[in-house]
Structure formats: C-alpha cells, structure tokens
C-alpha cells in the first residue's frame, strides 16, 4: 500500500469526529503511516498513534455536560480563563505514552508563536505539553511558554496541516476539515518569566508573610467569584451566548477562512467534511453525533480512498 497521511484539523468539540474517521479507516484495514494534527486534531491523533483510540471513544461517548465542566480549570484571568493543565489527566487516562518516541505512528503537532505569529511544529519531547500548546485557544486557555516562544492554538496559522503531513512522507493525504459550514493586540509576557513557571495564590497563602497572605486570599476569593460566574455562563437554558462561546466562534470563523486559503494551496487527495457547524466550542457531550458524522462522511469516500492507497 502507499503511505497514508492524515491531516486532522482544529475545531474544538467537533474534534470527536476524528474518532469516527479513524474508526472507518480501521474497519477498512487502511493503515495510517503519518499524522499531523492541529488543536483537537493533535490530541485525538496522538491518542490514536499511541494505540488507544478505543479508550478515547468509550470516554467521549460517556461524557455529559457535568463531566465537561469538570475539566475546566478556571484561573484568575490574566492571559486566559482556563489553564489547560487538565489536558494531562485527560491524555494520561488513555495511554502511558509520554514522549513522541513512545508513539507507534509519527505525529507532528501545530502551534502558533504569539511573539512572532509563526507556525511552530512540535514533534519531540513531552507529548502532553505539546498538546496543551496546540489546543490553547487565545483568550480562552492560557498560553504555553517554551523557551522564548509563547505558544497557542495552531489553528491560527494552519488549521488543517496538509503541507506538514506531506513533508513527513505521505503519498496519499486524507484531510479532515471540521470547520465546514460554520455560522458566519498581541499578547506577550515579561522577559523575566521563566519557562514552565506557574504562579499559585495557594502557595502564597501558605507563606509566612502575613501582608502577602492577606493579599493572596483576596485574589483567591476573586478567583472563586470568577469560577462561579463562568459556571453560570454555561447555563444552557440561557439563549444568549457567553463570552467564551463568542470568542470561540470568532476564532472558528477566522480559521475557516484560513483553512480555505491553505487548502487551495495544499490540496489533499481526500477531503472529509463532517457537518457539525452548529456545535459550539465546548459541546463535547455531543460525541455520539460527532463520531457518527465523521464515520459516515469517511465511508462516503471510502471507495476513492481504497483506490488511492492500493
């Protein structure tokens, strides 16, 4: 068979559709040789490359809205509302893989450097840190610092990394576009910040300086108010969109336009377009529908895929 590469696109909760795509390929005995993923595509692609897609499928199908909220690690908002540290727990529950060398299939992830606006390819070292960088939607999740780089969602520069998986050696490229049919100040950090450095008001509270402790307690109280407020934003009985949904939808629309331009330059052999444009950023509890849509849309093109790879 010819070497098959997957370009798994960004798209937040719509990313469960990638599971359906991968299951359709497995059901038809089509091996995957290379994976390039952006944002949620980086996460699902890495779990698959670790050989644990069945575990992720079971987990996704069991999600309800309460579980979705439990993975929101709200922080005092400076560079984002959500910290993204729970990516570690989310990934670790499915696999023991920790570095790119532990994966059975070569994987490259896409992130964006806020300091330069350039694409950053992550393909070595710690997998979880790389996933966290690739999924960090600006303004929603806090960025990830790597040396002098400040990394956020790769969808800002390359939502569907067809060119990257081609450079990896793929002869047949299957791309998954999650942003089809969507409704229509640059951030920096002080140079004194150290890579991997995290601030914790709880650490300050436990300190010996009473003045600092009092100040820290006030920030913890403020953080609790923010956490409670954000929780109220996701009241689904309220028809008005919350600020995070507005930010997410705005970025989705922007990424859809970037994807159109990139796909015109770098055409995949097969383009799979799950129709999930009505799902919002955090509709991860809609996994059943998303997975089915990814599976069905892949099966619609299976005859062509089989012709290409054999």
């Amino acid at each position: 068979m010819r070497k098959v590469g997957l370009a798994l696109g960004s798209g937040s909760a719509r990313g469960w559709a990638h599971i359906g795509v991968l299951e359709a390929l497995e059901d038809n005995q089509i091996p995957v040789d290379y994976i390039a993923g952006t944002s949620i595509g980086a996460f699902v692609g890495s779990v698959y490359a670790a050989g644990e897609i069945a575990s992720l499928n079971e987990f996704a199908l069991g999600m309800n809205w309460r579980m979705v909220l439990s993975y929101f690690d709200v922080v005092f908002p400076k560079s984002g509302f959500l910290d993204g540290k729970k990516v570690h727990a989310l990934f670790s529950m499915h696999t023991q893989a920790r570095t790119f060398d532990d994966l059975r299939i070569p994987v490259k992830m896409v992130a964006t450097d806020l300091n330069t606006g350039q694409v950053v390819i992550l393909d070595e070292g710690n997998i979880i840190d790389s996933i966290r960088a690739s999924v960090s939607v600006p303004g929603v999740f806090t960025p990830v610092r790597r040396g002098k780089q400040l990394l956020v969602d790769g969808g800002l520069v390359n939502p569907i990394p067809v060119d990257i998986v081609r450079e990896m050696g793929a002869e047949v490229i299957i791309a998954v576009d999650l942003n089809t049919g969507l409704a229509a100040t640059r951030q920096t950090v002080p140079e004194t910040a150290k890579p991997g450095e995290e601030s914790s008001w709880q650490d300050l509270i436990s300190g010996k300086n009473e003045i600092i402790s009092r100040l820290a307690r006030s920030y913890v109280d403020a953080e609790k108010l923010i956490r409670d407020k954000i929780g109220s934003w996701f009241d689904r009985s309220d028809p008005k969109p919350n600020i995070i949904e507005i930010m997410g939808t705005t970025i989705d629309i922007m990424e859809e336009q970037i994807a159109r331009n990139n796909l015109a330059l770098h055409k995949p052999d097969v383009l799979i377009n799950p129709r999930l444009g009505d799902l919002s950023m955090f509709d991860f509890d809609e996994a059943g529908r998303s997975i089915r849509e990814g599976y069905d849309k892949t099966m619609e093109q299976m005859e062509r895929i089989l012709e290409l790879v054999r």
Side-chain angles (χ1 to χ4, degrees):
M1 283 190 175
R2 301 172 71 193
K3 297 292 185 180
V4 176
L6 299 184
L8 303 180
S10 59
S12 302
R14 296 183 296 280
W16 290 150
H18 290 316
I19 298 175
V21 173
L22 291 162
E23 288 186 335
L25 295 177
E26 285 202 336
D27 286 350
N28 287 272
Q29 293 80 51
I30 298 175
V32 175
D33 300 285
Y34 307 100
I35 297 174
T38 298
S39 197
I40 187 67
F43 174 74
V44 176
S46 297
V47 175
Y48 180 76
E52 300 294 346
I53 198 65
S55 173
L56 181 60
N57 182 35
E58 181 180 358
F59 170 80
L61 291 175
M63 288 197 83
N64 55 37
W65 184 236
R66 186 178 296 276
M67 288 178 64
V68 174
L69 288 177
S70 74
Y71 282 93
F72 290 1
D73 39 1
V74 181
V75 294
F76 191 85
K78 178 180 179 182
S79 54
F81 285 104
L82 307 176
D83 190 59
K85 287 183 180 178
K86 290 190 177 180
V87 168
H88 187 286
L90 195 57
F91 185 77
S92 299
M93 71 172 62
H94 304 294
T95 174
Q96 295 298 312
R98 291 295 177 268
T99 72
F100 284 85
D101 291 336
D102 296 328
L103 301 177
R104 304 184 309 172
I105 301 170
V107 172
K108 290 183 183 287
M109 305 178 193
V110 182
T112 305
D113 184 0
L114 274 183
N115 291 324
T116 64
Q118 298 298 309
V119 62
V120 176
I121 307 302
L122 305 170
D123 58 2
E124 60 182 5
N126 187 284
I127 299 173
I128 299 172
D129 289 346
S130 296
I131 293 172
R132 187 180 164 203
S134 187
V135 304
S136 292
V137 177
V140 178
F141 292 95
T142 55
V144 173
R145 174 168 282 282
R146 190 182 75 164
K148 295 182 179 180
Q149 297 174 324
L150 194 61
L151 303 181
V152 295
D153 193 333
L156 298 179
V157 288
N158 197 344
I160 311 171
V162 172
D163 54 328
I164 294 170
V165 78
R166 177 173 286 121
E167 291 172 0
M168 293 174 73
E171 298 172 294
V172 176
I173 298 175
I174 302 170
V176 184
D177 179 6
L178 300 176
N179 293 324
T180 300
L182 294 177
T185 338
R186 184 170 166 159
Q187 296 185 21
T188 58
V189 296
E191 292 183 1
T192 54
K194 298 178 181 179
E197 186 177 64
E198 303 288 347
S199 61
S200 170
W201 295 112
Q202 296 295 344
D203 291 342
L204 288 176
I205 289 175
S206 64
K208 296 181 179 179
N209 189 313
E210 181 60 26
I211 295 177
I212 293 178
S213 295
R214 288 179 182 176
L215 179 62
R217 287 192 187 95
S218 70
Y219 278 108
V220 170
D221 291 341
E223 181 177 329
K224 183 178 184 302
L225 290 173
I226 291 168
R227 186 185 297 273
D228 292 343
K229 181 62 177 176
I230 290 179
S232 71
W233 287 348
F234 290 94
D235 178 3
R236 291 184 167 182
S237 64
D238 187 348
K240 293 181 294 184
N242 61 65
I243 186 172
I244 293 181
E245 287 177 335
I246 292 171
M247 292 167 66
T249 300
T250 300
I251 291 174
D252 283 344
I253 293 171
M254 178 189 70
E255 290 185 3
E256 182 179 17
Q257 297 303 314
I258 295 172
R260 298 286 76 71
N261 293 334
N262 286 0
L263 288 173
L265 292 173
H266 307 287
K267 293 182 173 60
D269 297 289
V270 177
L271 180 61
I272 298 171
N273 299 105
R275 297 286 175 170
L276 298 165
D278 60 306
L279 294 186
S280 67
M281 185 178 192
F282 291 114
D283 283 341
F284 288 99
D285 54 332
E286 296 285 342
R289 175 187 164 197
S290 298
I291 293 171
R292 285 193 303 274
E293 179 70 4
Y295 188 93
D296 291 345
K297 285 295 188 290
T298 306
M299 292 302 297
E300 288 175 7
Q301 301 201 56
M302 189 53 65
E303 184 176 346
R304 171 166 170 73
I305 293 172
L306 290 169
E307 289 176 354
L308 287 168
V309 301
R310 290 175 178 168

